[in-house]
Amino acid sequence: MQTKDEMLHLCYSNRFEVLCAPLVERIRCAQLEDPLTPITIIVAHNATGQYLRHEIAGRLGIAANLAVQPLSQFVAQMVESAMPDIAILNRTTLQLIIFVRLMSPRFRAEH
């Protein structure tokens, strides 16, 4: 049996306001029940997260104790916590590794 903390609620729509209203209500209820527990919200992009925080603050008066994360960051954290020997690279780190490899004298000599 799943506890409340293990529940995943998935909502989708093409209209932001359709998604925002039930989310704000869930946040309001959750924070009334336990105001010190952070609420994790997964979004597609950082810009969406910023806009969502603004909307939540506008509707609730404040947007506090929210962990708004892009999907890529959330998945990377889940993978790394489940498999500590694996590191998920972000774009900048991967670009740097590729650049260093391409600039190495050994690689340039072989190609």
Side-chain angles (χ1 to χ4, degrees):
M1 179 175 208
Q2 286 185 324
T3 64
K4 181 182 156 215
D5 294 336
E6 297 171 341
M7 296 298 289
L8 174 67
H9 299 280
L10 177 64
C11 300
Y12 59 93
S13 174
N14 292 333
R15 295 179 50 213
F16 186 80
E17 58 277 2
V18 171
L19 294 171
C20 199
L23 176 62
V24 168
E25 184 58 25
R26 281 186 182 274
I27 291 169
R28 188 187 65 73
C29 291
Q31 289 183 336
L32 284 173
E33 187 177 306
D34 187 3
L36 298 179
T37 300
I39 297 169
T40 301
I41 302 170
I42 310 303
V43 294
H45 307 284
N46 284 326
T48 306
Q50 289 297 326
Y51 187 76
L52 182 60
R53 282 181 184 274
H54 178 75
E55 283 295 311
I56 292 168
R59 294 177 188 213
L60 294 179
I62 191 168
N65 213 11
L66 302 176
V68 181
Q69 297 180 309
L71 178 61
S72 58
Q73 181 182 353
F74 178 76
V75 170
Q77 287 177 349
M78 293 294 103
V79 169
E80 289 175 348
S81 67
M83 297 180 282
D85 55 325
I86 292 180
I88 305 297
L89 303 177
N90 64 29
R91 181 185 309 191
T92 305
T93 305
L94 184 58
Q95 287 173 338
L96 182 58
I97 290 169
I98 292 169
F99 176 74
V100 168
R101 174 74 172 138
L102 290 173
M103 296 306 294
S104 73
R106 182 177 173 193
F107 180 82
R108 291 182 5 188
E110 291 174 1
H111 296 88

